[in-house]
Protein backbone atom coordinates (compact mmCIF):
# COMPACT_ATOMS: atom_id res chain seq x y z
CA UNK A 1 0.00 0.00 0.00
CA UNK A 2 1.43 3.36 -1.00
CA UNK A 3 1.35 6.08 1.61
CA UNK A 4 1.22 9.85 1.33
CA UNK A 5 2.17 11.83 4.41
CA UNK A 6 0.99 15.39 4.72
CA UNK A 7 2.37 17.97 7.11
CA UNK A 8 1.45 19.84 9.11
CA UNK A 9 -1.85 18.22 10.07
CA UNK A 10 -3.25 21.49 11.41
CA UNK A 11 -2.26 25.07 10.65
CA UNK A 12 -3.77 28.23 12.12
CA UNK A 13 -2.45 31.56 10.86
CA UNK A 14 -3.37 35.22 10.61
CA UNK A 15 -4.61 36.80 7.42
CA UNK A 16 -1.70 38.00 5.28
CA UNK A 17 0.79 35.34 6.40
CA UNK A 18 2.45 32.86 4.06
CA UNK A 19 2.37 29.09 4.54
CA UNK A 20 3.60 25.86 2.99
CA UNK A 21 2.01 22.43 3.14
CA UNK A 22 4.01 19.31 2.33
CA UNK A 23 3.06 15.97 0.82
CA UNK A 24 5.69 13.21 0.94
CA UNK A 25 5.90 9.60 -0.17
CA UNK A 26 8.50 6.90 -0.71
CA UNK A 27 6.70 5.93 -3.92
CA UNK A 28 6.77 7.45 -7.38
CA UNK A 29 3.51 8.74 -8.82
CA UNK A 30 2.66 9.38 -12.44
CA UNK A 31 0.73 12.45 -11.36
CA UNK A 32 -0.24 14.19 -8.15
CA UNK A 33 -3.34 16.22 -7.40
CA UNK A 34 -4.16 18.82 -4.77
CA UNK A 35 -7.75 19.23 -3.61
CA UNK A 36 -9.49 21.65 -1.28
CA UNK A 37 -12.48 20.57 0.77
CA UNK A 38 -14.89 22.77 2.69
CA UNK A 39 -17.09 21.43 5.51
CA UNK A 40 -20.07 19.46 4.25
CA UNK A 41 -18.82 19.31 0.68
CA UNK A 42 -16.77 17.03 -1.51
CA UNK A 43 -13.12 17.76 -2.40
CA UNK A 44 -12.61 20.09 -5.35
CA UNK A 45 -9.60 19.72 -7.63
CA UNK A 46 -7.10 22.59 -7.49
CA UNK A 47 -4.27 21.35 -9.68
CA UNK A 48 -2.55 18.36 -11.27
CA UNK A 49 1.23 18.11 -11.54
CA UNK A 50 2.77 15.54 -13.81
CA UNK A 51 6.41 16.34 -14.59
CA UNK A 52 9.22 16.10 -12.02
CA UNK A 53 10.25 19.61 -10.96
CA UNK A 54 7.07 21.12 -12.33
CA UNK A 55 5.79 24.34 -10.76
CA UNK A 56 2.23 25.57 -11.25
CA UNK A 57 0.68 28.78 -10.02
CA UNK A 58 -2.97 29.43 -9.33
CA UNK A 59 -3.30 33.07 -8.21
CA UNK A 60 -1.74 33.10 -4.70
CA UNK A 61 -1.19 29.32 -4.65
CA UNK A 62 2.04 27.75 -5.91
CA UNK A 63 2.32 23.99 -6.38
CA UNK A 64 5.58 22.12 -6.88
CA UNK A 65 6.22 18.49 -7.83
CA UNK A 66 9.51 17.04 -6.63
CA UNK A 67 12.17 16.10 -9.17
CA UNK A 68 11.74 12.40 -8.33
CA UNK A 69 7.91 12.65 -8.42
CA UNK A 70 7.67 11.43 -4.83
CA UNK A 71 6.75 14.64 -3.06
CA UNK A 72 4.95 17.92 -3.55
CA UNK A 73 4.34 21.21 -1.80
CA UNK A 74 1.63 23.83 -1.75
CA UNK A 75 2.60 27.40 -0.89
CA UNK A 76 0.01 30.08 -0.21
CA UNK A 77 1.07 33.71 -0.27
CA UNK A 78 -0.79 36.32 1.78
CA UNK A 79 -3.43 33.87 3.04
CA UNK A 80 -7.03 35.05 3.28
CA UNK A 81 -9.93 33.76 5.39
CA UNK A 82 -11.44 32.33 2.20
CA UNK A 83 -8.46 29.94 1.99
CA UNK A 84 -9.69 28.16 5.12
CA UNK A 85 -10.38 24.48 4.49
CA UNK A 86 -8.95 20.98 4.32
CA UNK A 87 -6.17 20.57 1.74
CA UNK A 88 -5.64 17.06 0.41
CA UNK A 89 -2.94 15.68 -1.83
CA UNK A 90 -3.49 12.52 -3.85
CA UNK A 91 -1.12 10.45 -5.93
CA UNK A 92 -2.21 8.58 -9.02
CA UNK A 93 -0.43 5.62 -10.59
CA UNK A 94 -0.85 4.44 -14.14
CA UNK A 95 0.53 1.01 -13.28
CA UNK A 96 -2.24 0.49 -10.73
CA UNK A 97 -5.02 1.69 -12.96
CA UNK A 98 -7.98 3.22 -11.17
CA UNK A 99 -6.41 3.94 -7.81
CA UNK A 100 -5.47 7.26 -6.24
CA UNK A 101 -3.93 7.38 -2.77
CA UNK A 102 -4.85 10.28 -0.50
CA UNK A 103 -2.93 11.91 2.32
CA UNK A 104 -4.75 12.60 5.58
CA UNK A 105 -4.96 16.29 4.79
CA UNK A 106 -3.95 19.63 6.29
CA UNK A 107 -6.65 21.64 8.03
CA UNK A 108 -5.95 25.32 7.43
CA UNK A 109 -7.59 28.10 9.40
CA UNK A 110 -6.92 31.68 8.38
CA UNK A 111 -8.04 34.20 10.99
CA UNK A 112 -9.09 37.70 9.94
CA UNK B 1 -24.33 20.91 -14.84
CA UNK B 2 -24.98 17.93 -12.55
CA UNK B 3 -21.55 16.24 -12.50
CA UNK B 4 -21.56 13.52 -9.81
CA UNK B 5 -24.80 13.15 -7.89
CA UNK B 6 -25.15 11.15 -4.68
CA UNK B 7 -28.26 10.16 -2.76
CA UNK B 8 -29.20 10.23 0.03
CA UNK B 9 -27.27 13.11 1.60
CA UNK B 10 -28.02 11.94 5.12
CA UNK B 11 -29.22 8.63 6.53
CA UNK B 12 -29.46 6.88 9.89
CA UNK B 13 -29.27 3.11 9.84
CA UNK B 14 -29.74 0.57 12.61
CA UNK B 15 -27.12 -2.10 13.26
CA UNK B 16 -27.71 -5.08 11.01
CA UNK B 17 -29.77 -3.21 8.42
CA UNK B 18 -28.73 -2.92 4.80
CA UNK B 19 -28.92 -0.03 2.39
CA UNK B 20 -27.66 1.23 -0.95
CA UNK B 21 -25.98 4.57 -1.59
CA UNK B 22 -26.68 5.78 -5.09
CA UNK B 23 -24.18 7.53 -7.36
CA UNK B 24 -24.61 8.71 -10.91
CA UNK B 25 -22.43 10.84 -13.19
CA UNK B 26 -23.29 12.54 -16.46
CA UNK B 27 -19.76 13.23 -17.72
CA UNK B 28 -19.30 9.88 -19.51
CA UNK B 29 -16.31 9.08 -17.31
CA UNK B 30 -15.02 5.51 -17.39
CA UNK B 31 -13.60 5.44 -13.89
CA UNK B 32 -15.74 5.60 -10.78
CA UNK B 33 -14.85 5.29 -7.10
CA UNK B 34 -16.28 5.07 -3.63
CA UNK B 35 -14.33 6.59 -0.75
CA UNK B 36 -15.12 6.97 2.91
CA UNK B 37 -13.89 9.83 5.05
CA UNK B 38 -13.79 9.67 8.81
CA UNK B 39 -13.63 12.90 10.87
CA UNK B 40 -10.42 14.87 10.37
CA UNK B 41 -9.00 12.25 8.03
CA UNK B 42 -8.28 11.78 4.36
CA UNK B 43 -10.17 9.48 2.05
CA UNK B 44 -9.95 5.69 2.02
CA UNK B 45 -10.82 3.84 -1.17
CA UNK B 46 -13.58 1.24 -0.76
CA UNK B 47 -14.21 0.03 -4.32
CA UNK B 48 -13.56 1.30 -7.79
CA UNK B 49 -14.54 0.57 -11.37
CA UNK B 50 -12.65 1.12 -14.61
CA UNK B 51 -15.72 0.64 -16.76
CA UNK B 52 -19.16 -0.91 -16.98
CA UNK B 53 -19.11 -4.50 -15.77
CA UNK B 54 -15.69 -4.19 -14.08
CA UNK B 55 -15.18 -3.55 -10.37
CA UNK B 56 -12.32 -4.09 -7.95
CA UNK B 57 -11.56 -3.73 -4.26
CA UNK B 58 -9.82 -0.77 -2.72
CA UNK B 59 -8.19 -0.44 0.69
CA UNK B 60 -11.26 -0.99 2.89
CA UNK B 61 -13.82 -3.17 1.01
CA UNK B 62 -15.08 -5.34 3.89
CA UNK B 63 -18.78 -4.89 4.57
CA UNK B 64 -19.50 -3.31 1.19
CA UNK B 65 -20.45 -4.39 -2.31
CA UNK B 66 -20.71 -2.57 -5.62
CA UNK B 67 -21.99 -3.11 -9.14
CA UNK B 68 -21.46 -1.20 -12.39
CA UNK B 69 -24.10 -2.14 -14.94
CA UNK B 70 -23.91 1.18 -16.80
CA UNK B 71 -21.26 3.86 -17.34
CA UNK B 72 -23.37 6.37 -15.41
CA UNK B 73 -24.26 4.49 -12.23
CA UNK B 74 -22.12 3.01 -9.45
CA UNK B 75 -24.20 2.11 -6.36
CA UNK B 76 -22.57 1.09 -3.06
CA UNK B 77 -24.33 -1.52 -0.95
CA UNK B 78 -23.84 -1.84 2.78
CA UNK B 79 -24.76 -5.26 4.12
CA UNK B 80 -25.39 -5.83 7.84
CA UNK B 81 -24.46 -2.31 8.88
CA UNK B 82 -22.08 -1.87 11.82
CA UNK B 83 -21.21 1.25 13.89
CA UNK B 84 -17.73 1.20 12.30
CA UNK B 85 -19.40 2.10 9.01
CA UNK B 86 -20.52 5.47 10.37
CA UNK B 87 -18.75 7.85 8.02
CA UNK B 88 -19.13 10.25 5.13
CA UNK B 89 -19.14 8.45 1.80
CA UNK B 90 -17.96 10.13 -1.38
CA UNK B 91 -18.48 8.94 -4.91
CA UNK B 92 -16.07 10.21 -7.55
CA UNK B 93 -15.44 9.80 -11.25
CA UNK B 94 -12.41 10.28 -13.45
CA UNK B 95 -11.42 10.15 -17.10
CA UNK B 96 -8.50 9.25 -19.25
CA UNK B 97 -6.72 11.07 -22.05
CA UNK B 98 -6.19 8.31 -24.56
CA UNK B 99 -4.83 5.36 -22.59
CA UNK B 100 -3.53 7.47 -19.70
CA UNK B 101 -5.49 8.10 -16.54
CA UNK B 102 -5.48 11.76 -15.62
CA UNK B 103 -5.88 10.99 -11.91
CA UNK B 104 -8.23 13.96 -11.65
CA UNK B 105 -11.26 13.09 -9.53
CA UNK B 106 -14.63 14.78 -9.58
CA UNK B 107 -16.52 14.26 -6.36
CA UNK B 108 -20.14 14.24 -5.33
CA UNK B 109 -21.27 16.17 -2.29
CA UNK B 110 -21.16 13.13 -0.03
CA UNK B 111 -23.57 10.90 1.86
CA UNK B 112 -23.38 11.16 5.64
CA UNK B 113 -24.27 7.79 7.17
CA UNK B 114 -24.78 7.07 10.87
CA UNK B 115 -25.17 3.51 12.14
CA UNK B 116 -26.77 3.24 15.58
Amino acid sequence: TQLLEQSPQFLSIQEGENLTVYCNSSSVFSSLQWYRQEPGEGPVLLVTVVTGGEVKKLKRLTFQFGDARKDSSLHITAAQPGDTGLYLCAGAEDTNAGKSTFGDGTTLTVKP
Amino acid sequence: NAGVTQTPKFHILKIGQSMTLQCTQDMNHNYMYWYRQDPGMGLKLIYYSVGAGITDKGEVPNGYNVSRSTTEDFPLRLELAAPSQTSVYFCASSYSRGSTRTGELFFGEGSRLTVL
Side-chain angles (χ1 to χ4, degrees):
Chain A
T1 303
Q2 298 199 326
L3 294 176
L4 272 172
E5 295 184 356
Q6 281 188 244
S7 61
Q9 187 176 359
F10 299 96
L11 194 53
S12 181
I13 61 173
Q14 293 294 134
E15 182 176 2
E17 292 184 358
N18 301 333
L19 67 115
T20 302
V21 176
Y22 300 93
C23 178
N24 295 303
S25 176
S26 58
S27 303
V28 176
F29 293 102
S30 59
S31 68
L32 190 140
Q33 285 75 38
W34 284 93
Y35 297 84
R36 179 166 164 265
Q37 183 179 20
E38 296 192 27
E41 299 183 6
V44 175
L45 179 69
L46 294 174
V47 77
T48 294
V49 286
V50 177
T51 306
E54 182 176 5
V55 177
K56 281 192 174 179
K57 291 191 175 183
L58 186 64
K59 297 184 180 177
R60 295 175 294 100
L61 278 62
T62 301
F63 305 86
Q64 185 162 6
F65 203 13
D67 291 341
R69 292 186 292 140
K70 294 182 179 181
D71 54 84
S72 181
S73 63
L74 158 60
H75 182 79
I76 301 180
T77 303
Q80 299 177 0
D83 295 327
T84 292
L86 177 66
Y87 289 83
L88 296 159
C89 66
E93 313 163 60
D94 274 336
T95 56
N96 203 1
K99 292 186 179 182
S100 289
T101 301
F102 278 82
D104 282 342
T106 295
T107 300
L108 171 65
T109 303
V110 182
K111 301 174 184 176
Chain B
N1 295 330
V4 178
T5 303
Q6 292 182 233
T7 57
K9 285 185 168 49
F10 301 93
H11 195 78
I12 298 175
L13 205 56
K14 292 184 179 179
I15 294 172
Q17 288 184 330
S18 299
M19 77 163 298
T20 299
L21 301 179
Q22 302 291 343
C23 175
T24 187
Q25 53 95 6
D26 62 359
M27 296 174 284
N28 201 34
H29 286 173
N30 283 337
Y31 300 94
M32 294 189 75
Y33 312 82
W34 275 105
Y35 287 90
R36 59 176 287 174
Q37 185 178 36
D38 297 324
M41 303 293 286
L43 291 92
K44 302 296 183 187
L45 182 64
I46 305 172
Y47 269 96
Y48 67 102
S49 169
V50 300
I54 306 170
T55 63
D56 206 349
K57 297 177 180 179
E59 300 172 69
V60 289
N62 292 344
Y64 307 95
N65 274 303
V66 293
S67 59
R68 184 95 182 272
S69 57
T70 67
T71 299
E72 294 78 18
D73 300 307
F74 191 41
L76 177 71
R77 178 110 179 128
L78 281 75
E79 304 282 1
L80 299 174
S84 61
Q85 293 178 301
T86 294
S87 189
V88 182
Y89 292 84
F90 287 100
C91 179
S93 69
S94 184
Y95 63 102
S96 56
R97 292 195 185 96
S99 61
T100 304
R101 276 189 68 235
T102 64
E104 298 177 347
L105 300 175
F106 295 81
F107 286 88
E109 292 186 345
S111 296
R112 186 177 297 274
L113 180 67
T114 301
V115 182
L116 298 174

